[in-house]
Amino acid sequence: SYVLNQPPSLSVAPGQTATITCGGNDIGSKLVHWSQQRPGQAPILVVYDDFDRPSGIPERFSGANSGNAATLTISRVEAGDEADYYCQVWDLETAHVVFGGGTKLTVL
Amino acid sequence: EVQLVESGGGLVKPGGSLRLSCAASGFSFGNYSINWVRQSPGKGLEWVSSIDSGSRYIYYADSVKGRFIISRDNARNSVSLQLNRLRVEDTAIYYCVGCITGEGGYFDPWGQGTLVTVSS
């Protein structure tokens, strides 16, 4: 089965840039979506189709995808960005949706 | 307002059954595939099942295949997930999630979730 690897945690100071990676075999050939889950809340979509942003999501959130890694970059990090972030793809071979294990972003 | 509202969660004994429902409003429900995603306490997201807009394509995670059944009623803007032969490890918050683009598409909107607890 297809596996997505994310670092369990990342700490960043306010105003700095956070880059969260999502590794998977030839993930660059798939569409990657990212969701944010703040403590005690349901997830929300923050980046879809590798790099597009839903309406209402700040331009500080950006995505990229190539080769064996996709990335979610959050520029000028704010306290409100503290959350768990999950990458997601569709595995055509198994017809399954696959989530990464999640990355807990801590704003120092 | 775009909304998905889950209901039907609760406490059930191992081996028991439960039926979750998801009511949609504020968007063209019939154009969306619907997924169920669960989250065990303190853990990450796990996809459970999906059903396309016309109920032709239905998929299940290996961990629930043969035990859970997904269905939808477009006339009532609702989706159900029948949970059978429940196990302790099925304990989780179950989220109902919409997907406009079908297979490979992004998940939006998400419901607020309903908690299922399997315990003796």
Side-chain angles (χ1 to χ4, degrees):
Chain A
S1 61
Y2 194 78
V3 176
L4 293 174
N5 295 305
Q6 295 183 239
S9 62
L10 178 66
S11 298
V12 176
Q16 298 303 302
T17 296
T19 300
I20 299 172
T21 60
C22 176
N25 184 42
D26 195 28
I27 194 174
S29 67
K30 303 179 184 297
L31 290 176
V32 179
H33 319 298
W34 293 88
S35 294
Q36 173 196 68
Q37 186 179 33
R38 292 189 173 108
Q41 297 185 19
I44 63 168
L45 182 72
V46 292
V47 166
Y48 67 97
D49 292 353
D50 294 340
F51 52 76
D52 286 327
R53 277 187 316 278
S55 60
I57 300 300
E59 291 183 6
R60 300 184 297 104
F61 287 79
S62 62
N65 183 20
S66 177
N68 293 317
T71 57
L72 173 68
T73 301
I74 310 170
S75 304
R76 302 180 299 283
V77 165
E78 303 173 356
D81 298 332
E82 191 161 280
D84 294 324
Y85 291 85
Y86 296 90
C87 58
Q88 172 206 332
V89 300
W90 169 258
D91 181 21
L92 185 62
E93 185 174 329
T94 59
H96 283 17
V97 174
V98 180
F99 284 101
T103 298
K104 181 178 180 62
L105 176 65
T106 300
V107 181
L108 300 171
Chain B
E1 179 189 7
V2 173
Q3 213 171 9
L4 289 169
V5 179
E6 304 91 337
S7 60
L11 174 64
V12 61
K13 288 181 167 52
S17 296
L18 211 55
R19 187 175 183 87
L20 307 183
S21 296
C22 171
S25 60
F27 63 99
S28 299
F29 178 78
N31 292 335
Y32 280 65
S33 66
I34 298 295
N35 294 259
W36 287 92
V37 175
R38 68 184 181 183
Q39 187 171 35
S40 299
K43 302 297 184 183
L45 303 176
E46 179 189 14
W47 171 77
V48 173
S49 180
S50 69
I51 185 168
D52 78 312
S53 58
S55 300
R56 292 161 297 179
Y57 300 101
I58 291 174
Y59 305 107
Y60 297 98
D62 295 345
S63 57
V64 307
K65 194 169 186 177
R67 299 188 299 123
F68 291 7
I69 302 171
I70 191 171
S71 61
R72 67 186 292 162
D73 183 343
N74 286 346
R76 298 189 177 194
N77 284 4
S78 67
V79 172
S80 295
L81 186 68
Q82 177 69 36
L83 285 60
N84 299 321
R85 302 199 325 260
L86 281 161
R87 306 167 180 167
V88 171
E89 54 266 34
D90 294 319
T91 294
I93 296 173
Y94 284 74
Y95 295 102
C96 175
V97 197
C99 179
I100 184 64
T101 53
E103 293 174 6
Y106 50 90
F107 284 4
D108 181 56
W110 291 71
Q112 285 303 303
T114 187
L115 177 63
V116 172
T117 303
V118 185
S119 174
S120 55

